[in-house]
Amino acid sequence: MKNFILTTTALTLVASMAFADSHAKTIRMGTEGAYAPYNFINDAGEVDGFERELGDELCVRAELTCEWVTNEWDSIIPNLVSGNYDTIIAGMSITDERDEIIDFTQNYTQPDPSAYLALSMDVDVTGGVIAAQTGTIQASHIASTGATLVEFATPEETVAAVRNGEADAVLADKTFLTPFTEEDASLMLIEQEEMLGGGIGMGLRESDGELKGKFDMAIQSMKDDGSLNALIEKWKIGETF
C-alpha cells in the first residue's frame, strides 16, 4: 500500500498530550478521504468506504467514542505525531520504515498487489516514465528501478498523467486502479505486478500503547467472527484472512 518517506528532522514534532483515558475523550480517526474504495468523501461530504465502515465497527467493539477527520497524505504521519488526531486509518501499509516513527495495530488487510495502469500492454516499466503518488511505497519502488519516477500529490493525478501522456504508466494498488479500466476502455492493467508492503494496519503514536491494545483486540475479534472478511469482500479489497 502506501509508504510515507520522512526525514528525521521532519519528525521532531512530539505529541503534546498522551492518550490517557479512552472513555473520557473522543478518539479522532485520521484518514485521507481520497483513496477509494479504502476511503473517500461521498456525495454528502462524509468519509465513506471500507475503512469508514471498518473504523466505526472497531470503535464500537473497543467501546470508544470516535470522530473522523481528513488530512492530506503527504503530512498524515507528522500530524498524527503532533497530536492533531489519534489514529491513521488510511490504506497505510505496515513497513519497517514507518514502524521506526509510529506504532501499528495488527494488519486488517492482506498485502494488495501493486499494478501498472497504462495505455498499452507493451509499456516499458523498468525504463520508461512511471507515475506514483508522492510518498507511497510504489514511488519508493520505482525509484529503486531504472525507470524515471514522476510524483503527484493525489492518486487521481497519477492516472491523469497516463491519460495525457506525461507518464507511460502509473504504479498503484491494484484495487484502486481496477475501476479505471472498467470506466475507460483505453486504460489497461499490464500483466506485471509488484508485491509491496505487509498489509494495512492502523497507525498510532508510540506512546499510545493502551489505545493500540484496544484496537488490536477489536481487529482480532472481527477476524475471529468473520465480519472482517465480509467487509473485505463487500468492498472488493483483496484476499480475505
Side-chain angles (χ1 to χ4, degrees), residues 44-161:
E46 299 174 341
V47 174
D48 205 339
F50 166 70
E51 286 170 318
R52 173 60 192 266
E53 194 167 350
L54 171 65
D56 285 349
E57 179 62 21
L58 293 176
C59 287
V60 170
R61 295 186 182 219
E63 299 182 340
L64 298 169
T65 299
C66 297
E67 68 178 22
W68 289 83
V69 298
T70 57
N71 193 95
E72 292 183 358
W73 178 255
D74 61 0
S75 61
I76 202 165
I77 287 182
N79 278 316
L80 170 71
V81 174
S82 63
N84 290 337
Y85 34 81
D86 304 297
T87 76
I88 294 173
I89 178 166
M92 181 173 281
S93 290
I94 301 168
T95 66
D96 291 339
E97 180 184 24
R98 277 205 197 95
D99 203 33
E100 295 179 356
I101 303 163
I102 60 175
D103 208 349
F104 284 96
T105 63
Q106 63 173 292
N107 64 322
Y108 55 79
T109 76
Q110 304 276 26
D112 186 26
S114 292
Y116 294 93
L117 182 75
L119 294 173
S120 170
M121 292 294 288
D122 60 0
V123 63
D124 181 6
V125 299
T126 60
V129 178
I130 311 299
Q133 186 180 10
T134 301
T136 61
I137 197 168
Q138 289 89 1
S140 180
H141 174 77
I142 295 166
S144 70
T145 70
T148 298
L149 169 66
V150 289
E151 296 181 271
F152 296 88
T154 68
E156 288 79 7
E157 288 177 290
T158 64
V159 176

Side-chain angles (χ1 to χ4, degrees), residues 167-180:
D168 299 313
V170 51
L171 181 63
D173 294 336
K174 187 175 183 179
T175 300
F176 170 73
L177 292 176
T178 298
F180 289 98

